[in-house]
Amino acid sequence: MVRNKDIHKAKVSHSTQAVLIFLLLCCTCISTEGYFIDDYVLPKWAAIRLSVPVTAAFLIIVHRHNLKEIKVEACAVYLFLFILTAISCKEAIIPYLFFLILSTFIFRYYNSESEFTIAILISGIILLFKSIIQFYDNEPITGGFDTSAALALHLSLTSPYALKGTISNEYYYRKTYLCLCILYILMTTTVLIAVGSRLGIIAFCISAILIFKPKKRLPALLFVLGITTMCMHVKKDSTKGRSLIYYTSLTLIDSPHKALFGLGEDGFNREYMRRQSKVLKESPYEQGQLADNIRHPLNELLLAIINYGVLRVGGVVFILVLVFRKTAIPTETKASISILLLFAFFSYPFRYPIAWLILAKAAALSFSQPDRSHTNNRIVLFSILVISVTLIYNTIAETIWNREWEQAHERARFANDKSAPAAYCALSKSQYADDMFYYDYAAVLLEHKQSSQAIKILNNSATIDYDTQLLRGDIYADLHQYDKAISHYEEAASMCPNRFLPLYNQYKVYEEKKDTANMTSLRNVIINKTIKVPSYEIMQMRHDVTH
């Protein structure tokens, strides 16, 4: 009887390893080409949001008798976070919270450090090989992500496990594993340097300190400080640009009420670019040359405070601190969490599944601590099953909707199908329609000469930035409402002073009005304007205004 139990546990362990590898490979390897509007991040989320609930449901149904009791503290924390999210945040965030709950459940009850380490290193190795292929094909090195910053995030979060592997004796194939970890470390550092990720290089150095724990910490800290200073001087313009973003973001919190309660849902996207326009008018010309169209303050905590206020964000942070304060987390996981926090202060890591998986891993370890009360097993398992089914349905529906959006987009832009606006109209009735969709819908209506409807659709978007103001200008110009068009073009130009297109579009409006005085003035501005990044489009604009 005992032997049968041991065999069953071994089978569970093997299935765990397969599950973990499958989960991590889904979130790192899945990408498409022309299947969705977003072919890089969306497929990864679709795969991981399907695989996690399917895995959780499978474990509940097949191995329900082996599941331990659920911690009351874990249930209370997740219930609090869910209620807070449902009250104060977008509905779109709730599926990600469900994903976090299910991932924590899987890591909590089928947890093995060695299997998790192997799985996460395999995911990183696949990314590294993708990066090498892109390098030899003279393509941007992104490893299958939308930006090199996402690649740097993943490699930085996985590097502590490789570093730990160089000093660990837990594996019976020690020499093979050691060689693999050393190769992984060398390839990771090479890729981080090749993509020029300052944050990734700093994160890797911090990982090494946390894993190897040098006896003389002061020299190690000075080394990291030196690396940080050097990285800041490598891309001075980027550093200045970040400073502008942080300063402008902080000016949005200009009253006690906004500080405590935030600007509300989508507050940042609604207010930031207009505030940047005001800030740049009072700044030196050189500062305007660094400005860009910003949709994230490059700081997750700052974004949350701007949108939801200190009270709500502080409440969540306080609960998480209470949960994690006495948790005995392995060194490599602790290093990954530290890196995740570093990226959260200087980037947008929670856009990608790997950040949520690392967070779930730490939460699972926290809820594994002894001497805590328990609750009824069946009630919680039934709740997990319901959440799994809900997340599967939501993910399938959202994926289908995004695929239909891409099909409508292709018909509208490439096939010039006159039925495309009707397809967009049907899609707009879905709960998944967001600001990006409304922008695309309005642009399609403009192309099909339905400008009156286009401005109504664009007004559904909460985002007010360079792109939306430029599109509003185009729509009003098509409606021959030239004063409104010029007003929006001027606002777009003030948001990003280094851009040529708003000035060129103003020139074309004045040409329509036969306003030669303003045409001459704008022609001189366009010809004498400093070019930040040379391009064929800018040369064409200059040629057009001079001939």
Side-chain angles (χ1 to χ4, degrees), residues 31-255:
S31 61
T32 57
E33 187 174 347
Y35 200 82
F36 300 107
I37 294 292
D38 173 10
D39 280 319
Y40 298 101
V41 181
L42 178 63
K44 293 175 175 60
W45 269 117
I48 200 72
R49 279 174 51 182
L50 280 175
S51 60
V52 165
V54 167
T55 301
F58 170 79
L59 295 178
I60 289 174
I61 294 171
V62 177
H63 302 301
R64 61 187 180 277
H65 300 298
N66 297 78
L67 296 176
K68 302 172 185 177
E69 292 183 324
I70 312 295
K71 308 289 184 179
V72 167
E73 188 167 332
C75 299
V77 169
Y78 278 132
L79 181 62
F80 170 79
L81 292 176
F82 177 77
I83 293 173
L84 190 66
T85 302
I87 292 174
S88 62
C89 301
K90 286 183 174 181
E91 291 182 5
I93 297 178
I94 294 177
Y96 295 95
L97 184 60
F98 281 171
F99 166 76
L100 184 62
I101 293 172
L102 297 178
S103 300
T104 303
F105 168 78
I106 293 171
F107 290 141
R108 165 66 181 85
Y109 294 103
Y110 292 86
N111 185 28
S112 171
E113 289 300 317
S114 60
E115 292 168 359
F116 182 86
T117 299
I118 293 171
I120 205 168
L121 289 181
I122 289 175
S123 70
I125 288 170
I126 292 177
L127 282 181
L128 288 168
F129 276 109
K130 279 189 174 184
S131 301
I132 292 172
I133 292 172
Q134 289 174 334
F135 174 77
Y136 279 106
D137 290 342
N138 291 321
E139 297 178 357
I141 302 175
T142 61
F145 287 96
D146 52 340
T147 65
S148 59
L151 172 63
L153 168 69
H154 191 105
L155 295 179
S156 299
L157 290 175
T158 56
S159 61
Y161 295 92
L163 291 167
K164 180 68 174 179
T166 62
I167 59 174
S168 175
N169 294 308
E170 297 177 3
Y171 302 90
Y172 65 89
Y173 39 86
R174 167 67 184 157
K175 291 183 179 179
T176 304
Y177 184 72
L178 176 62
C179 293
L180 176 65
C181 288
I182 293 174
L183 180 63
Y184 186 90
I185 292 168
L186 293 174
M187 291 176 67
T188 296
T189 52
T190 302
V191 170
L192 289 176
I193 294 172
V195 300
S197 174
R198 297 169 297 172
L199 200 56
I201 294 170
I202 294 169
F204 185 85
C205 294
I206 292 174
S207 296
I209 292 174
L210 292 175
I211 295 296
F212 297 129
K213 298 178 181 178
K215 294 181 179 180
K216 296 182 179 180
R217 294 191 176 183
L218 182 59
L221 292 174
L222 290 175
F223 173 75
V224 172
L225 183 61
I227 291 291
T228 304
T229 305
M230 183 179 66
C231 288
M232 290 177 65
H233 280 81
V234 168
K235 297 181 179 179
K236 290 184 179 181
D237 287 346
S238 177
T239 302
K240 292 177 181 178
R242 281 179 177 270
S243 301
L244 172 64
I245 294 171
Y246 295 147
Y247 172 77
T248 307
S249 299
L250 289 172
T251 62
L252 293 175
I253 313 171
D254 55 6
S255 70

Side-chain angles (χ1 to χ4, degrees), residues 295-311:
R295 295 183 178 176
H296 194 286
L298 302 180
N299 186 308
E300 298 280 19
L301 182 62
L302 183 57
L303 177 64
I305 291 174
I306 289 172
N307 285 342
Y308 305 114
V310 172
L311 289 181

Side-chain angles (χ1 to χ4, degrees), residues 498-517:
N498 52 47
R499 304 288 180 91
F500 279 76
L501 189 56
L503 301 175
Y504 176 75
N505 287 353
Q506 286 181 65
Y507 176 88
K508 300 302 287 184
V509 170
Y510 286 126
E511 189 176 49
E512 286 285 326
K513 295 176 67 177
K514 302 187 185 306
D515 187 339
T516 55

Side-chain angles (χ1 to χ4, degrees), residues 53 98-99 101-102 382-392:
F98 281 171
F99 166 76
I101 293 172
L102 297 178
F382 177 76
S383 300
I384 293 292
L385 197 58
V386 170
I387 290 174
S388 298
V389 173
T390 303
L391 186 56
I392 290 170

Side-chain angles (χ1 to χ4, degrees), residues 202-389:
I202 294 169
F204 185 85
C205 294
I206 292 174
S207 296
I209 292 174
L210 292 175
I211 295 296
F212 297 129
K213 298 178 181 178
K215 294 181 179 180
K216 296 182 179 180
R217 294 191 176 183
L218 182 59
L221 292 174
L222 290 175
F223 173 75
V224 172
L225 183 61
I227 291 291
T228 304
T229 305
M230 183 179 66
C231 288
M232 290 177 65
H233 280 81
V234 168
K235 297 181 179 179
K236 290 184 179 181
D237 287 346
S238 177
T239 302
K240 292 177 181 178
R242 281 179 177 270
S243 301
L244 172 64
I245 294 171
Y246 295 147
Y247 172 77
T248 307
S249 299
L250 289 172
T251 62
L252 293 175
I253 313 171
D254 55 6
S255 70
H257 183 272
K258 290 179 181 179
L260 292 175
F261 302 103
L263 302 179
E265 195 173 291
D266 293 316
F268 180 85
N269 288 335
R270 186 175 61 251
E271 300 292 340
Y272 177 85
M273 288 304 294
R274 289 190 289 190
R275 182 59 59 89
Q276 177 171 285
S277 172
K278 294 178 181 179
V279 170
L280 291 176
K281 288 177 181 177
E282 302 171 357
S283 303
Y285 173 80
E286 293 75 15
Q287 195 83 325
Q289 290 298 104
L290 301 173
D292 204 348
N293 193 33
I294 304 300
R295 295 183 178 176
H296 194 286
L298 302 180
N299 186 308
E300 298 280 19
L301 182 62
L302 183 57
L303 177 64
I305 291 174
I306 289 172
N307 285 342
Y308 305 114
V310 172
L311 289 181
R312 280 178 282 188
V313 175
V316 173
V317 172
F318 178 72
I319 293 295
L320 293 177
V321 169
L322 287 180
V323 171
F324 287 105
R325 73 187 191 282
K326 295 181 180 179
T327 302
I329 298 178
T331 307
E332 58 272 27
T333 304
K334 189 182 296 184
S336 288
I337 289 293
S338 300
I339 291 170
L340 181 58
L341 290 174
L342 177 66
F343 270 87
F345 276 102
F346 296 99
S347 187
Y348 37 87
F350 292 108
R351 172 175 163 77
Y352 306 101
I354 185 64
W356 294 78
L357 285 174
I358 293 294
L359 197 61
K361 173 67 173 176
L365 292 169
S366 174
F367 298 145
S368 298
Q369 301 307 304
D371 301 327
R372 294 180 183 175
S373 55
H374 300 76
T375 190
N376 190 292
N377 189 305
R378 292 182 180 179
I379 294 175
V380 177
L381 293 184
F382 177 76
S383 300
I384 293 292
L385 197 58
V386 170
I387 290 174
S388 298
V389 173

